[in-house]
């Protein structure tokens, strides 16, 4: 599928999400029996070898930067097992801990991490997670990172419904005053135990959903980062190193790769980058595009950021957005000072 056709499909899905339309089918009836058989075989292999236990990474990071009277920044992770950090053994290996530590080092302020993400969650669980994240009006997160979508694809949730729930979550968080960064649906075609043609269809479905998620999130004032093949060609080249023991969830190295790609966007959302770094760099193929086209470009290239153009102009193809390919930033070794309240 070309990027232009992916942009058209993404626009249809996002429009259906906004106006209550139906789902967009991806596979014909003739292939359903084969796909279901291959899906059953894949499920037998995916998930073996790892514990459902997820390390508790909540707490305060960067305590050395504490200044009396200056509150810590608040970061909340929402979404599924990828956001929670399933597949690693230590709290410091989870994406939340890595991001909190990275933000603390760049901002030179402590960061309090709270995780409401749940392994196995789909987009229809985001409403409950947002309610938890906003439970205390006096402690609204400064920034929220949402990683969601893989379970929507594997459980065949209609993409319009998926995007509708994500858009609602982003809108609620932005209305409350939190910045929002969405890590869009990863490319499920990189999972080793999945065979053709299921692998091809999984890639197609996940990239279409990622593009539509981008449109929905950006229109509600969020930013997105394409997780693609879980943020970089390293996963395709070294799947046994960057995937965990179950060949599905990322390993510690994989989560570190993801955190390095998402960290610059989180920092940009918090206003921690110099103004000149927020302008498009033509040498890196950055620029302003119709949001659907930017979404399709991002879905095809892991680590690409899409954010609303400010002010957000609109043309014949709808609103425009800024597409950026930020340089990845290394994150320091997380040091948790205390468990969050």
């Amino acid at each position: 599928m070309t990027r232009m056709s992916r942009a058209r499909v993404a626009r249809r899905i996002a429009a259906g999400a906004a106006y209550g339309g139906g789902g967009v089918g991806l596979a014909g009836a003739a292939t359903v029996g084969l796909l279901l058989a291959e899906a059953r075989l894949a499920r037998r292999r995916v998930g073996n070898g790892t514990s459902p236990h997820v390390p508790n990474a909540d707490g305060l990071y960067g305590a050395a930067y504490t200044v009396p009277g200056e509150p810590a920044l608040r970061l909340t992770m929402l979404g599924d097992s990828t956001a929670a950090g399933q597949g690693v053994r230590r709290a410091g290996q989870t994406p939340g801990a890595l991001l909190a530590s990275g933000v603390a080092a760049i901002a030179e302020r402590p960061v309090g991490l709270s995780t409401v993400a749940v392994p196995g969650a789909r987009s229809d669980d985001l409403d409950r997670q947002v309610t938890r994240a906003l439970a205390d009006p006096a402690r609204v997160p400064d920034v929220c990172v949402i990683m969601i979508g893989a379970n929507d694809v594997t459980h065949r949730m209609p993409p319009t419904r998926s995007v509708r729930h994500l858009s609602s979550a982003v809108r609620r968080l932005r209305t409350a005053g939190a910045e929002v960064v969405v890590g869009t649906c990863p490319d499920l075609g990189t999972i080793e135990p999945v065979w053709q043609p299921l692998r091809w269809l999984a890639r197609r479905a996940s990239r279409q959903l990622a593009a539509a998620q981008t449109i929905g999130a950006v229109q509600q004032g969020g930013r997105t980062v394409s997780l693609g093949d879980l943020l970089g060609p390293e996963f395709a080249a070294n799947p046994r190193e960057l995937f965990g023991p179950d060949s599905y969830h990322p390993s510690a190295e994989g989560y570190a790769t993801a955190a390095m790609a998402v960290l610059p966007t989180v920092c940009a959302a918090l206003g921690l980058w110099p103004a000149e770094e927020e302008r498009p760099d033509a040498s890196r193929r950055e620029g302003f595009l119709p949001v659907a086209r930017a979404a399709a470009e991002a879905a095809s290239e892991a680590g690409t950021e899409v954010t609303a153009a400010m002010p957000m102009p609109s043309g014949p193809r709808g609103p425009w957005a800024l597409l950026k390919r930020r340089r990845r930033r290394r994150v320091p070794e997380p040091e948790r000072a205390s468990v969050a309240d």
Side-chain angles (χ1 to χ4, degrees), residues 55-106:
N56 177 15
D58 289 3
L60 186 69
Y61 293 80
Y65 299 114
T66 299
V67 174
E70 184 174 328
L73 292 170
R74 290 186 288 271
L75 165 65
T76 299
M77 300 293 296
L78 304 92
D80 55 24
S81 55
T82 305
Q86 184 174 352
V88 295
R89 297 182 180 278
R90 300 203 309 270
Q93 297 171 326
T94 63
L98 293 165
L99 288 171
S101 181
V103 171
I106 292 169

Side-chain angles (χ1 to χ4, degrees), residues 117-313:
V118 178
R122 288 171 277 180
S123 293
D124 54 5
D125 188 54
L126 287 176
D127 183 64
R128 184 186 62 82
Q129 293 185 24
V130 170
T131 297
R132 287 186 60 196
L134 301 178
D136 185 351
R139 295 174 60 84
V140 172
D142 294 288
V143 62
C144 293
V145 175
I146 304 174
M147 295 181 177
I148 199 77
N151 296 313
D152 296 24
V153 173
T154 59
H155 289 80
R156 294 183 292 173
M157 176 183 288
T160 50
R161 181 182 170 199
S162 176
V163 173
R164 188 178 303 125
H165 286 295
L166 174 62
S167 299
S168 175
V170 175
R171 181 171 58 252
R172 288 181 63 194
L173 292 169
R174 293 291 292 129
T175 299
E179 297 292 338
V180 181
V181 175
V182 177
T184 56
C185 181
D187 182 353
L188 299 180
T190 61
I191 300 171
E192 277 197 314
V194 178
W195 298 277
Q196 299 290 10
L198 187 58
R199 179 188 292 267
W200 179 83
L201 285 168
R203 169 163 289 157
R204 183 185 180 196
S206 47
R207 288 189 176 186
Q208 285 182 353
L209 178 57
Q213 286 178 318
T214 293
I215 296 174
V218 168
Q219 289 180 337
Q220 298 302 327
R223 300 174 185 240
T224 65
V225 178
S226 169
L227 295 189
D229 50 357
L230 284 181
L231 301 179
E234 298 93 337
F235 273 88
N238 305 297
R240 297 195 182 280
E241 178 183 349
L242 292 180
F243 280 117
D246 61 359
S247 297
Y248 186 83
H249 294 99
S251 65
E253 292 82 2
Y255 279 128
T257 301
M260 282 191 294
V262 175
L263 177 61
T265 301
V266 172
C267 290
L270 290 170
L272 300 177
W273 284 164
E276 56 269 20
E277 289 200 24
E278 296 309 296
R279 290 192 285 267
D281 183 344
S283 68
R284 296 176 60 80
R285 297 178 293 117
E286 298 177 347
F288 296 96
L289 297 169
V291 66
R293 183 178 164 193
E297 292 272 348
S300 300
E301 186 175 345
T304 305
E305 175 190 322
V306 180
T307 185
M310 292 299 178
M312 197 171 189

